[in-house]
Amino acid sequence: MRKILIVGAGQSGLQLALGLQSHGYDVTLMSNRTPDEIRSGRVMSTQCMFRTALRHERDLGLNFWEGQAPRIRGLGVSVGAPDHSRAVDWLGELDGYAQSVDQRLKMAGWLETFAQRGGQLVIHGAAVGDLDFFAGRYDLVLVAAGKGELVSLFERDGARSPYDAPQRALAVAYVHGLEPRPEHPETEAVRCNLIPGVGELFVMPTLTTSGRADILFFEGVPGGPLDAFQDVRDPREHLARTLELMERYVPWEHARATGAELTDEGGTLAGRYAPVVRRPVGRLPSGGAVLGVADVVVANDPITGQGSNSASKCAASYLADILDRGGEPFDEEWMTGTFERWWGTAQHVTKWTNAMLAPPPDHVLRLLGAGGRAQEIADRFANGFDDPADFEEWFYEPEKADAYLERVTA
């Protein structure tokens, strides 16, 4: 039986650990927190998982909350005008529903499942020295902890990383009491509110520790008016500032948030990080090699909501490659090839995300504007969140965009 060590208990690490466990591998999983500590801690993300990522969970029988989480069937886009009205406002229909489950629920539950199924769970914040000690005792070591000292093992890939500084300041609040959007009160949807030159507000339904809720997620251009949370320490002050900014910049969303209250004391999060692609193989002081997983090696800004989706797709891709390897050694050549096979999918996420961080060119503004007149465009943009590779055909180049617009409007 092949022995595998996975360091990190997020979406990718846990999904991969449970998948390998189901195929009979001897898996050790290292987490820096217990399930109870995760469940009672601060929110970790703004996850919304689309059809393909949800299918990967379903294939492994890990969709424990599918019957409870809101079924998100639409994705809407609004673009603010200078007078704070909406210059653009439309709703695209998803081909398959999306869902958001608070990672405090999911990761705690998956950790408990892994242990109940006989997996070796080690509660320890691993450092480089720990991996150096353990590496020779396992056939493969995977690093799925996207923060902390271990990330330093993986060299930045400058050719695939156009940014060297954060492009957005992030601020998240989980709330109860948000009213339905009056334009589509019966349809659960993610709403993307774009404020040119200022940033974005995303609103999405979720399942949290206290039931159904909504996530209010600001992405502010650094140094701009939405970059306003660095001095906030109190969760209630965080929500008050969120609502103030909503009232000023997205009054159509604020109108349904006047009764919003935090879900819990841990329901806020703020920070920033630079998007980066790193080389997939980390070299330990003793010379051993470890393989980076998901956002350890491809960390995109959350503006396109791809974090948990990419993590799920990475775990599924790595699982298939590990199973295909059989009894052959997991050498550095195999590690690099395994990453590159996943990069074939991940590169589209990175390209799209980086494009959305930049000021939109004229042809993108034309496409977004046309979404309100042509449902096909609205639907295609919405479903690009599940398959970003489709944007290659119509979104990036003015010639392709204009040809697509001409065909649809004809």
Side-chain angles (χ1 to χ4, degrees):
M1 183 183 298
R2 307 206 77 178
K3 297 180 64 176
I4 294 179
L5 172 63
I6 299 175
V7 182
Q11 174 75 40
S12 58
L14 272 163
Q15 182 181 317
L16 185 53
L18 287 157
L20 289 167
Q21 188 182 52
S22 71
H23 285 276
Y25 285 73
D26 181 353
V27 183
T28 298
L29 180 66
M30 296 185 73
S31 169
N32 64 350
R33 291 188 292 171
T34 68
D36 286 343
E37 288 170 338
I38 293 171
R39 194 177 283 116
S40 61
R42 184 173 294 278
V43 294
M44 298 179 281
S45 67
T46 58
Q47 68 294 315
C48 181
M49 299 185 69
F50 294 88
R51 181 173 59 174
T52 301
L54 291 177
R55 187 178 70 242
H56 290 318
E57 292 187 352
R58 200 176 297 122
D59 288 346
L60 294 174
L62 300 177
N63 54 327
F64 301 158
W65 299 273
E66 188 166 6
Q68 305 169 50
R71 296 196 172 189
I72 299 168
R73 300 189 181 276
L75 187 139
V77 170
S78 299
V79 180
D83 63 356
H84 304 310
S85 64
R86 283 171 285 181
V88 171
D89 187 52
W90 47 257
L91 180 70
E93 182 179 348
L94 295 170
D95 291 340
Y97 62 79
Q99 288 189 308
S100 170
V101 177
D102 185 339
Q103 290 198 346
R104 294 178 296 180
L105 275 177
K106 182 187 287 187
M107 302 317 152
W110 279 3
L111 266 178
E112 289 168 342
T113 299
F114 175 78
Q116 290 164 2
R117 293 177 178 176
Q120 299 297 314
L121 176 59
V122 178
I123 306 300
H124 178 66
V128 172
D130 297 311
L131 292 197
D132 222 14
F133 175 79
F134 284 119
R137 293 163 172 77
Y138 290 89
D139 297 298
L140 174 64
V141 176
L142 299 126
V143 178
K147 299 176 183 177
E149 176 186 333
L150 298 184
V151 175
S152 66
L153 290 169
F154 302 92
E155 179 186 354
R156 180 177 182 270
D157 187 340
R160 291 171 170 174
S161 304
Y163 299 118
D164 58 8
Q167 299 300 297
R168 292 293 189 274
L170 317 175
V172 177
Y174 279 51
V175 300
H176 291 308
L178 199 68
E179 296 294 328
R181 189 76 181 269
E183 296 92 333
H184 49 81
E186 303 301 322
T187 302
E188 297 276 22
V190 173
R191 296 295 316 193
C192 308
N193 299 279
L194 313 180
I195 313 159
V198 177
E200 300 80 25
L201 172 72
F202 299 91
V203 184
M204 66 192 76
T206 191
L207 177 70
T208 187
T209 54
S210 52
R212 192 220 176 275
D214 287 279
I215 301 172
L216 306 175
F217 174 35
F218 267 125
E219 288 230 344
V221 174
L226 301 184
D227 185 1
F229 293 84
Q230 287 178 286
D231 63 336
V232 174
R233 298 294 178 265
D234 179 75
R236 289 170 182 78
E237 183 185 358
H238 182 113
L239 177 59
R241 192 160 299 182
T242 297
L243 294 175
E244 290 169 6
L245 292 169
M246 289 174 67
E247 185 175 21
R248 179 177 178 185
Y249 291 102
V250 283
W252 58 89
E253 296 288 11
H254 181 265
R256 62 193 186 108
T258 54
E261 298 180 346
L262 288 176
T263 56
D264 61 281
E265 289 293 318
T268 63
L269 184 67
R272 66 188 73 204
Y273 62 88
V276 64
V277 178
R278 299 184 178 95
R279 302 193 187 280
V281 180
R283 183 66 63 186
L284 296 170
S286 63
V290 296
L291 175 61
V293 184
D295 62 353
V296 171
V297 283
V298 182
N300 293 304
D301 188 278
I303 192 170
T304 54
Q306 294 299 296
S308 57
N309 292 275
S310 289
S312 177
K313 293 172 182 178
C314 179
S317 179
Y318 279 24
L319 174 62
D321 276 15
I322 292 169
L323 297 179
D324 286 346
R325 192 62 171 169
E328 294 296 309
F330 298 113
D331 54 25
E332 187 169 340
E333 181 180 359
W334 174 86
M335 291 181 181
T336 301
T338 293
F339 170 78
E340 291 296 335
R341 278 183 284 278
W342 173 55
W343 176 249
T345 297
Q347 65 179 323
H348 299 293
V349 175
T350 297
K351 182 176 180 177
W352 178 44
T353 302
N354 290 342
M356 292 299 289
L357 288 169
D362 288 343
H363 72 276
V364 170
L365 293 176
R366 291 196 297 273
L367 287 168
L368 293 177
R373 303 187 299 274
Q375 191 62 41
E376 177 184 326
I377 296 174
D379 292 348
R380 190 169 188 180
F381 183 82
N383 285 286
F385 282 74
D386 180 51
D387 180 17
D390 183 58
F391 287 114
E392 290 284 352
E393 304 301 321
W394 64 286
F395 192 77
Y396 300 119
E397 300 172 23
E399 297 78 12
K400 289 184 178 180
D402 289 339
Y404 177 58
L405 281 170
E406 183 178 356
R407 179 179 67 78
V408 172
T409 55

